[in-house]
PDB file of all heavy atoms in Angstrom:
ATOM      1  N   ARG A 464      92.266 117.032 136.285  1.00 69.00           N
ATOM      2  CA  ARG A 464      93.125 117.966 135.558  1.00 69.00           C
ATOM      3  C   ARG A 464      93.193 117.548 134.098  1.00 69.00           C
ATOM      4  O   ARG A 464      93.294 116.363 133.785  1.00 69.00           O
ATOM      5  CB  ARG A 464      94.528 117.993 136.162  1.00 69.00           C
ATOM      6  CG  ARG A 464      95.393 119.118 135.604  1.00 69.00           C
ATOM      7  CD  ARG A 464      96.721 119.193 136.335  1.00 69.00           C
ATOM      8  NE  ARG A 464      97.506 120.330 135.862  1.00 69.00           N
ATOM      9  CZ  ARG A 464      98.755 120.580 136.240  1.00 69.00           C
ATOM     10  NH1 ARG A 464      99.355 119.780 137.103  1.00 69.00           N
ATOM     11  NH2 ARG A 464      99.406 121.635 135.765  1.00 69.00           N
ATOM     12  N   LEU A 465      93.120 118.529 133.218  1.00 77.00           N
ATOM     13  CA  LEU A 465      93.170 118.256 131.788  1.00 77.00           C
ATOM     14  C   LEU A 465      93.810 119.443 131.089  1.00 77.00           C
ATOM     15  O   LEU A 465      93.417 120.589 131.295  1.00 77.00           O
ATOM     16  CB  LEU A 465      91.754 118.030 131.244  1.00 77.00           C
ATOM     17  CG  LEU A 465      91.627 117.663 129.760  1.00 77.00           C
ATOM     18  CD1 LEU A 465      92.433 116.419 129.430  1.00 77.00           C
ATOM     19  CD2 LEU A 465      90.160 117.461 129.400  1.00 77.00           C
ATOM     20  N   ALA A 466      94.813 119.170 130.261  1.00 85.00           N
ATOM     21  CA  ALA A 466      95.508 120.228 129.530  1.00 85.00           C
ATOM     22  C   ALA A 466      95.920 119.695 128.166  1.00 85.00           C
ATOM     23  O   ALA A 466      96.139 118.495 127.988  1.00 85.00           O
ATOM     24  CB  ALA A 466      96.733 120.705 130.307  1.00 85.00           C
ATOM     25  N   LEU A 467      96.029 120.591 127.199  1.00 90.00           N
ATOM     26  CA  LEU A 467      96.399 120.239 125.832  1.00 90.00           C
ATOM     27  C   LEU A 467      97.690 120.938 125.419  1.00 90.00           C
ATOM     28  O   LEU A 467      97.909 122.099 125.751  1.00 90.00           O
ATOM     29  CB  LEU A 467      95.290 120.652 124.851  1.00 90.00           C
ATOM     30  CG  LEU A 467      93.989 119.851 124.870  1.00 90.00           C
ATOM     31  CD1 LEU A 467      93.038 120.423 123.841  1.00 90.00           C
ATOM     32  CD2 LEU A 467      94.245 118.371 124.598  1.00 90.00           C
ATOM     33  N   ASP A 468      98.496 120.226 124.654  1.00 93.00           N
ATOM     34  CA  ASP A 468      99.677 120.782 124.007  1.00 93.00           C
ATOM     35  C   ASP A 468      99.286 121.111 122.569  1.00 93.00           C
ATOM     36  O   ASP A 468      99.001 120.206 121.774  1.00 93.00           O
ATOM     37  CB  ASP A 468     100.808 119.756 124.046  1.00 93.00           C
ATOM     38  CG  ASP A 468     102.079 120.237 123.348  1.00 93.00           C
ATOM     39  OD1 ASP A 468     102.028 121.259 122.634  1.00 93.00           O
ATOM     40  OD2 ASP A 468     103.114 119.570 123.504  1.00 93.00           O
ATOM     41  N   SER A 469      99.254 122.391 122.213  1.00 94.00           N
ATOM     42  CA  SER A 469      98.828 122.826 120.889  1.00 94.00           C
ATOM     43  C   SER A 469      99.993 123.267 120.009  1.00 94.00           C
ATOM     44  O   SER A 469      99.789 123.956 119.007  1.00 94.00           O
ATOM     45  CB  SER A 469      97.816 123.977 121.017  1.00 94.00           C
ATOM     46  OG  SER A 469      96.691 123.585 121.758  1.00 94.00           O
ATOM     47  N   SER A 470     101.199 122.851 120.360  1.00 95.00           N
ATOM     48  CA  SER A 470     102.357 123.308 119.600  1.00 95.00           C
ATOM     49  C   SER A 470     102.340 122.806 118.160  1.00 95.00           C
ATOM     50  O   SER A 470     102.869 123.467 117.254  1.00 95.00           O
ATOM     51  CB  SER A 470     103.653 122.887 120.301  1.00 95.00           C
ATOM     52  OG  SER A 470     103.701 121.480 120.485  1.00 95.00           O
ATOM     53  N   LEU A 471     101.739 121.642 117.912  1.00 97.00           N
ATOM     54  CA  LEU A 471     101.655 121.146 116.534  1.00 97.00           C
ATOM     55  C   LEU A 471     100.815 122.077 115.668  1.00 97.00           C
ATOM     56  O   LEU A 471     101.178 122.359 114.518  1.00 97.00           O
ATOM     57  CB  LEU A 471     101.073 119.730 116.519  1.00 97.00           C
ATOM     58  CG  LEU A 471     100.888 119.102 115.138  1.00 97.00           C
ATOM     59  CD1 LEU A 471     102.227 118.987 114.409  1.00 97.00           C
ATOM     60  CD2 LEU A 471     100.224 117.732 115.249  1.00 97.00           C
ATOM     61  N   ALA A 472      99.703 122.565 116.196  1.00 96.00           N
ATOM     62  CA  ALA A 472      98.872 123.497 115.436  1.00 96.00           C
ATOM     63  C   ALA A 472      99.621 124.787 115.138  1.00 96.00           C
ATOM     64  O   ALA A 472      99.461 125.381 114.060  1.00 96.00           O
ATOM     65  CB  ALA A 472      97.583 123.796 116.196  1.00 96.00           C
ATOM     66  N   GLU A 473     100.440 125.227 116.075  1.00 95.00           N
ATOM     67  CA  GLU A 473     101.237 126.430 115.848  1.00 95.00           C
ATOM     68  C   GLU A 473     102.261 126.196 114.743  1.00 95.00           C
ATOM     69  O   GLU A 473     102.453 127.038 113.862  1.00 95.00           O
ATOM     70  CB  GLU A 473     101.921 126.859 117.145  1.00 95.00           C
ATOM     71  CG  GLU A 473     100.944 127.301 118.231  1.00 95.00           C
ATOM     72  CD  GLU A 473     101.651 127.847 119.456  1.00 95.00           C
ATOM     73  OE1 GLU A 473     102.911 127.856 119.461  1.00 95.00           O
ATOM     74  OE2 GLU A 473     100.970 128.259 120.403  1.00 95.00           O
ATOM     75  N   ARG A 474     102.913 125.023 114.773  1.00 95.00           N
ATOM     76  CA  ARG A 474     103.951 124.744 113.771  1.00 95.00           C
ATOM     77  C   ARG A 474     103.345 124.455 112.398  1.00 95.00           C
ATOM     78  O   ARG A 474     103.838 124.947 111.372  1.00 95.00           O
ATOM     79  CB  ARG A 474     104.796 123.536 114.207  1.00 95.00           C
ATOM     80  CG  ARG A 474     105.600 123.742 115.467  1.00 95.00           C
ATOM     81  CD  ARG A 474     106.635 122.634 115.632  1.00 95.00           C
ATOM     82  NE  ARG A 474     106.056 121.293 115.556  1.00 95.00           N
ATOM     83  CZ  ARG A 474     105.585 120.622 116.592  1.00 95.00           C
ATOM     84  NH1 ARG A 474     105.600 121.179 117.813  1.00 95.00           N
ATOM     85  NH2 ARG A 474     105.103 119.404 116.467  1.00 95.00           N
TER      86      ARG A 474
END
Side-chain angles (χ1 to χ4, degrees):
R464 190 174 184 186
L465 183 57
L467 289 180
D468 178 348
S469 301
S470 57
L471 178 61
E473 295 186 359
R474 295 193 307 271

